[in-house]
Amino acid sequence: MPYEGLIAELSNIVGHDNCLSDPADLIIYGYDNSTMAAVADVVVLPNSTTQIIDIVTIANKYKIPIITKGGSTNTCGATVPTLGGIIIATQKLNKIIRIAPNDRYAIVQPGITNSNLQTALKPFNMFWPPDPGSAKTCTIGGNLACNAAGPSSVKYGVTREHVLGLEFITGDGQLIKAGSCTTKSVVGYDLTRLLIGSEGTLGIITEAILKIHPIPEATYSIKANYKCINIATEVITRLMSQDTIPSALELMDAQSLNLMKKNPNLHIPSTSQALLLINISSSAEHIDSDANKIYQILYNNGNCLDICMATNSYDSDKIWQARKLLSPKLKYIAPNKINEDVVVPVSKLPCLIRFIEKLSVKYNLPIVNFGHAGNGNIHVNILINNKDLKQKQDSKICLQQIFTKVLELNGSISGEHGIGLVKSNYIKHEIGIKTINLNKHIKSVFDPNNLLNPQLFANF
Ligand SMILES: Cc1cc2nc3c(=O)[nH]c(=O)nc-3n(C[C@H](O)[C@H](O)[C@H](O)COP(=O)(O)OP(=O)(O)OC[C@H]3O[C@@H](n4cnc5c(N)ncnc54)[C@H](O)[C@@H]3O)c2cc1C
């Protein structure tokens, strides 16, 4: 065993039961929601910041990579240990340190799940806005490291907008505190925001000061069907250019709807080619007028095939059913599907979707588009069978062309999933070599021995 000394030293820090080197355990911690997998040399489950500092010190002694792992729900291979090393699993660092509703912040450890945090905030009538679909499993540490978002980011913004400060450990074991418990502070560089979205490459987050918000008094939902995608996307741009912003604005394209139309419970008109799903959240006093304003835009002078509004949570759930059923359905039809999360300025959505539809015909590949249209963030799902080599090859060409188009439209190749291993080959097309080099310099300051998730930088 190449690292016998290492495992003994790590066991001394976290205890024998929290230091896993059995091959079966290593496999379990070796994959995430990408299609990739690899095994680390050892997995540790620390329960304190001090233990993490000691683990990082040992990693520096052996010059061995460290991969921090939350819920492993990332879809871009950001936690797959292709260079081996130590996996730090944060599941035991799951405490809420303080909830301060009057000052609108909460201090938490990184291993708490998004959903457990929301449950704990509810009695204070508070919530933390980032709402990824994986909320029951993903952790706050993972949300911060991926700058996660979700449907509500159209109104509230993404994780970056809801963090006041962080405590983290650098690659050489220094404990750093950034930010404060206040909503204003201009002291020093904004290291908090630098860490957010850095996919575990700059520091191991051990505590976060999160900005929390009062739960809106009322939420209504609306479902609107259109006979073509152009009308739907025109409605999206109109919605986003006025002052009453929905708290969710999701689009499902014709290919998505074709998969759902056979389900009689979903009531999707046979002629529908695009579906918009909307939430409106407001005070009890303003909800009706806000909802009416949005309803009128969706109704689009009668240019809407079918529209219905729900004013209670039971009916809202029914409205959102189609969206919830779509991802599992796609996974069932095409287990090897490629799922990208490109983003363009909202006004460029029609152009992007038309481009993707043409590619789908040209390469005879089913491509299903849906997602957070209010942010211009579309999940592009290329449904391939990995055993079909031509399909596999064509999907790569398609992907490259989609990324090129997205950049031409002033967009970005990842709206929320991040780069990880999956997209590391494409990053140079978006940020260019000078910016990549600056990123590398920044990393070397935070992590002089290149130990924190080094596999993610290997292809740059
Ligand atoms: C069904 C499903 C739905 C999803 N929906 C959404 C969505 O709506 N919006 C969205 O944005 N994403 C979504 N995702 C992607 C994913 O859930 C998010 O990126 C989430 O934030 C990852 O959190 P995690 O705890 O699973 O992190 P992991 O997958 O464990 O790790 C992700 C990254 O964070 C780093 N990391 C984890 N903890 C720490 C820490 N303490 N310090 C430093 N780095 C750390 C890891 O090293 C890695 O780089 C979805 C995924 C699934 C499977």
Side-chain angles (χ1 to χ4, degrees), residues 26 29 79 98 134 180 202 241 243 246 259 267 328 342 384 408 434 447:
L26 298 180
Y29 283 88
T79 52
R98 189 183 314 149
S134 54
S180 69
L202 298 180
S241 57
D243 64 343
L259 298 172
H267 307 292
V342 295
I384 57 162
E408 244 176 64
K434 274 196 277 185
D447 181 21

Side-chain angles (χ1 to χ4, degrees), residues 1 3-4 6-30 38-46 51 55 64-65 67 69-70 72 81 84-92:
M1 190 177 283
Y3 289 119
E4 214 160 323
L6 166 89
I7 290 167
E9 288 188 61
L10 291 173
S11 277
N12 277 342
I13 297 169
V14 291
H16 180 71
D17 289 348
N18 295 319
C19 183
L20 316 175
S21 54
D22 188 282
D25 292 323
L26 298 180
I27 289 172
I28 290 169
Y29 283 88
V39 285
D41 293 283
V42 56
V43 176
V44 286
L45 288 78
Q51 286 188 353
I55 294 163
I64 182 172
I67 300 100
K69 227 180 201 309
S72 302
I86 305 169
I87 285 186
I88 297 185
T90 60
Q91 63 214 56
K92 297 204 165 180

Side-chain angles (χ1 to χ4, degrees), residues 429-449:
H429 300 301
E430 179 161 339
I431 62 174
I433 205 71
K434 274 196 277 185
T435 313
I436 288 178
N437 284 340
L438 183 58
N439 274 253
K440 284 182 177 169
H441 283 140
I442 292 171
K443 177 159 173 64
S444 69
V445 173
F446 281 72
D447 181 21
N449 288 322

Side-chain angles (χ1 to χ4, degrees), residues 169-421:
I169 295 163
T170 58
D172 54 354
Q174 295 185 68
L175 182 68
I176 304 289
K177 287 180 192 266
S180 69
C181 293
T182 56
T183 48
K184 290 177 106 181
S185 168
V186 284
V187 180
Y189 290 142
D190 193 346
L191 301 184
T192 304
R193 264 144 207 85
L194 187 55
L195 260 280
I196 294 172
S198 66
E199 296 182 16
T201 59
L202 298 180
I204 301 167
I205 297 164
T206 49
E207 253 178 54
I209 311 169
L210 306 177
K211 189 172 162 187
I212 56 175
H213 301 256
I215 297 174
E217 285 173 338
T219 296
Y220 289 179
S221 301
I222 305 180
K223 168 172 104 166
N225 280 284
Y226 298 90
K227 66 173 184 238
C228 76
I229 190 89
N230 289 355
I231 300 179
T233 46
E234 183 197 302
V235 167
I236 295 168
T237 47
R238 279 185 58 206
L239 279 172
M240 293 310 294
S241 57
Q242 47 95 52
D243 64 343
T244 309
I245 299 287
S247 53
L249 170 45
E250 303 279 301
L251 166 77
M252 289 168 72
D253 77 344
Q255 298 279 0
S256 312
L257 295 179
N258 285 342
L259 298 172
M260 297 287 146
K261 276 178 187 165
K262 284 191 192 119
N263 186 331
N265 298 325
L266 299 177
H267 307 292
I268 299 168
S270 59
T271 48
S272 177
Q273 296 289 302
L275 171 67
L276 294 183
L277 296 166
I278 290 98
N279 275 349
I280 305 125
S281 303
S282 192
S283 63
E285 189 188 347
H286 292 118
I287 186 75
D288 286 320
S289 64
D290 286 358
N292 187 39
K293 213 168 174 184
I294 288 180
Y295 187 98
Q296 289 311 324
I297 297 172
L298 290 164
Y299 183 68
N300 198 22
N301 297 326
N303 244 329
C304 175
L305 283 177
D306 166 72
I307 182 163
C308 76
M309 179 152 78
T311 57
N312 61 58
S313 61
Y314 177 78
D315 291 338
S316 278
D317 284 352
K318 283 208 281 193
I319 279 191
W320 282 90
Q321 224 178 357
R323 175 71 173 86
K324 283 185 185 137
L325 289 175
L326 185 59
S327 282
K329 179 103 186 172
L330 286 175
K331 201 99 186 170
Y332 177 73
I333 300 172
N336 311 118
K337 76 183 167 84
I338 298 173
N339 171 9
E340 288 304 335
D341 74 319
V342 295
V343 55
V344 291
V346 177
S347 65
K348 306 289 184 203
L349 263 181
C351 181
L352 177 68
I353 290 186
R354 273 198 301 273
F355 179 80
I356 296 173
E357 280 175 350
K358 279 187 194 152
L359 278 185
S360 169
V361 173
K362 182 173 170 192
Y363 291 99
N364 193 23
L365 282 173
I367 306 184
V368 175
N369 302 300
F370 64 93
H372 317 304
N375 293 106
N377 184 197
I378 292 295
H379 293 296
V380 178
N381 289 268
I382 309 180
L383 308 188
I384 57 162
N385 174 353
N386 254 351
K387 288 188 190 133
D388 185 330
L389 291 182
K390 170 133 179 41
Q391 266 196 354
K392 218 173 148 185
Q393 210 175 4
D394 285 348
S395 67
K396 281 194 184 141
I397 302 171
C398 262
L399 209 55
Q400 182 66 61
Q401 295 187 17
I402 292 170
F403 288 157
T404 306
K405 186 71 183 175
V406 161
L407 296 177
E408 244 176 64
L409 296 173
N410 296 325
S412 173
I413 61 173
S414 177
E416 55 180 25
H417 288 169
I419 297 300
L421 289 170

Side-chain angles (χ1 to χ4, degrees), residues 419-432:
I419 297 300
L421 289 170
V422 171
K423 271 197 238 179
S424 55
N425 280 331
Y426 298 103
I427 192 170
K428 57 181 176 291
H429 300 301
E430 179 161 339
I431 62 174

Side-chain angles (χ1 to χ4, degrees), residues 118 121-122 125-129 152 156 211-216:
Q118 309 293 4
L121 292 173
K122 223 171 181 171
N125 199 32
M126 289 278 166
F127 78 116
W128 190 56
S152 78
Y156 297 101
K211 189 172 162 187
I212 56 175
H213 301 256
I215 297 174

